[in-house]
Amino acid sequence: MRQAGPVSDADETAAEQPPSDPHQAHAATVRRLEQSAGKLAAAAIARMDEQLPWYRAMPPENRSWIGLVAQAGIAAFTEWFRHPETKQAISTDVFGTAPRELTRAITLRQTVEMVRTTIEVVESAVDELAPPGGEAALRNALLVYAREIAFATAQVYAQAAEARGAWDARLESLVVNAVVSGEADESDLSRAAALGWRTPEHVTVLLGNAPNGDSELTVEAIRRAARYAKLQVLTGVLGKRLVVIAGGSDDPLQAAKSLIGPFASGPVVAGPVVPDLLAATRSAQAAAAGLRACAAWPDAPRPVLADDLLPERAMAGDPAARTLLVEEIYRPLQEAGSALLETLSVFLEQASSLEGAARMLFVHPNTVRYRLRRVTDVTGWPPSDVRSAFTLRIALMLGRLADEERRS
């Protein structure tokens, strides 16, 4: 004897004899599916409410959309079962009833659970839905339909992911371009937030050559490297340049080393650390100036800091580099007393010879040594280092020129 199920409105069918014609059995099953669609959908919703905690926690509007999807799924199965030889657009029939935003409100895993629950409810009612002798045909059809609906679910989420990915790529390109061009504003902060940028305290911009080939693969490689290094990134390929805005590290050189893999051969320059995304424009401009000036320092390390390229940037006409050299090296030495400036100048002119500088200044070599240590303390650039000595020499030249301009 059959147990009561979702279908209970036709007692006379319980005593129905197996139809002699398979077409009659098929037609009878279709009629029962049509009559029971509402009750099956209600049973599916009730089971979701009972078994799926995420469904119970959803707002009423989203639950109502899920209910419509369940009803559409059962109706689509009925139509598909009516004409199994006709190819049906299952994804449109089932998921077209819900807004596109629903794919963001529920995850793919949750959608699979919803579909599985609905299929299980229909499967449990097969004995009531099919006339005697038609149960096997209905179960087989349900099995095939479950496979099709699984593919349709994957397709819907794949299309949504592709659309979201394309939109995110456009947003990211807008933000990166605004930072590099110096036009970043509050709207770019909103765009970055939509991309998952969590306003890190330390931001630096990396510039280098982009590899040939698919730029999307390059961008994805940067993201993988960033995840491994626990950095936030906004990245894009602008022409021949690969731009990476990296957040979360106060060491720009270390950040550059962590992300250098996807860059093509050639110099990679890290701009100075800045406090936020809007200030990243300053870091990007320094990195761009450093990249242009790298040709003047063939033996520059890779990656290299933009601030380590200050002399080359200044000679290439970068006003920001000239200002930094004057304001951060020449002016502090000037304020520290004329003895430091004079000693540094003579030391550099004497080919970095302590004894030669001491003779020219008529002081003991230890006095020269002490003053040079003071130069290092004041500027951060040790005169005994060849590279630092070059930077200090350029700073002295620019400072004197600036003083002459002030007097004239």
Side-chain angles (χ1 to χ4, degrees):
M1 183 175 180
R2 297 172 186 263
Q3 295 182 353
V7 181
S8 59
D9 56 337
D11 292 340
E12 66 273 17
T13 59
E16 192 175 301
Q17 297 298 319
S20 56
D21 186 351
H23 295 288
Q24 292 179 359
H26 182 269
T29 304
V30 171
R31 286 195 301 272
R32 294 187 182 194
L33 282 169
E34 292 174 335
Q35 294 168 359
S36 304
K39 293 182 179 180
L40 289 170
I45 294 298
R47 184 172 295 188
M48 282 186 238
D49 189 62
E50 176 185 350
Q51 297 181 353
L52 306 178
W54 59 264
Y55 175 81
R56 293 193 299 272
M58 295 187 77
E61 181 181 9
N62 287 342
R63 288 204 301 271
S64 67
W65 283 120
I66 290 178
L68 287 178
V69 171
Q71 293 176 20
I74 294 170
F77 172 65
T78 301
E79 189 61 27
W80 180 83
F81 186 75
R82 187 197 308 274
H83 303 291
E85 73 285 352
T86 304
K87 185 177 181 179
Q88 302 285 337
I90 293 176
S91 61
T92 301
D93 293 341
V94 177
F95 297 101
T97 59
R100 185 178 299 177
E101 290 77 8
L102 190 62
T103 58
R104 298 185 184 183
I106 62 174
T107 65
L108 176 60
R109 179 185 60 79
Q110 291 170 340
T111 303
V112 170
E113 290 178 350
M114 175 188 72
V115 171
R116 180 189 293 121
T117 301
T118 304
I119 294 294
E120 287 175 351
V121 167
V122 177
E123 190 176 23
S124 66
V126 164
D127 290 341
E128 285 73 36
L129 292 170
E135 296 90 346
L138 182 57
R139 283 195 178 92
N140 290 337
L142 190 60
L143 182 63
V144 174
Y145 183 79
R147 183 194 65 187
E148 295 299 320
I149 200 69
F151 285 127
T153 303
Q155 182 181 21
V156 167
Y157 274 82
Q159 291 173 344
E162 289 175 359
R164 176 64 185 269
W167 176 250
D168 285 354
R170 287 193 291 270
L171 274 185
E172 191 167 13
S173 179
L174 284 172
V175 174
V176 171
N177 186 65
V179 169
V180 172
S181 63
E183 300 174 354
D185 55 24
E186 295 294 332
S187 63
D188 294 296
L189 293 180
S190 300
R191 295 187 183 104
L195 293 167
W197 183 262
R198 298 187 297 278
T199 61
E201 293 182 358
H202 305 99
V203 179
T204 187
V205 177
L206 314 178
L207 281 179
N209 295 326
N212 296 325
D214 192 343
S215 61
E216 292 184 5
L217 296 178
T218 301
V219 167
E220 184 55 36
I222 289 288
R223 292 199 180 105
R224 284 198 302 270
R227 286 193 294 269
Y228 183 79
K230 295 181 172 55
L231 296 172
Q232 296 182 55
V233 293
L234 296 169
T235 183
V237 175
L238 303 182
K240 296 181 179 180
R241 296 285 183 253
L242 174 57
V243 183
V244 181
I245 304 171
S249 173
D250 59 357
D251 185 344
L253 197 58
Q254 184 57 45
K257 289 178 180 178
S258 300
L259 303 175
I260 200 171
F263 284 87
S265 59
V268 176
V269 182
V273 171
V274 292
D276 53 44
L277 187 61
L278 291 182
T281 290
R282 188 167 72 250
S283 182
Q285 290 172 344
L291 196 61
R292 289 192 297 270
C294 262
W297 188 12
D299 296 327
R302 185 177 188 268
V304 63
L305 295 176
D307 286 351
D308 287 345
L309 287 158
L310 284 176
E312 288 79 9
R313 288 167 53 192
M315 296 179 70
D318 179 14
R322 294 188 174 195
T323 299
L324 282 171
L325 287 169
V326 172
E327 298 300 328
E328 295 189 0
I329 295 178
Y330 182 77
R331 296 296 176 212
L333 287 174
Q334 200 174 43
E335 294 169 1
S338 59
L340 290 189
L341 268 178
E342 183 184 18
T343 301
L344 175 61
S345 179
V346 172
F347 176 76
L348 295 175
E349 293 296 334
Q350 294 298 312
S352 300
S353 168
L354 280 172
E355 289 75 12
R359 285 194 301 270
M360 293 295 295
L361 293 168
F362 301 103
V363 296
H364 193 278
N366 284 343
T367 302
V368 176
R369 189 177 288 109
Y370 167 76
R371 290 176 182 176
L372 294 180
R373 283 200 300 267
R374 288 278 295 128
V375 169
T376 303
D377 294 339
V378 171
T379 67
W381 297 84
S384 57
D385 177 76
V386 174
R387 178 69 190 174
S388 296
F390 173 63
T391 303
L392 291 166
R393 182 184 291 273
I394 299 297
L396 292 184
M397 293 169 54
L398 293 173
R400 290 166 184 155
L401 290 172
D403 286 345
E404 184 61 28
E405 288 178 3
R406 284 185 178 182
R407 286 192 291 268
S408 62

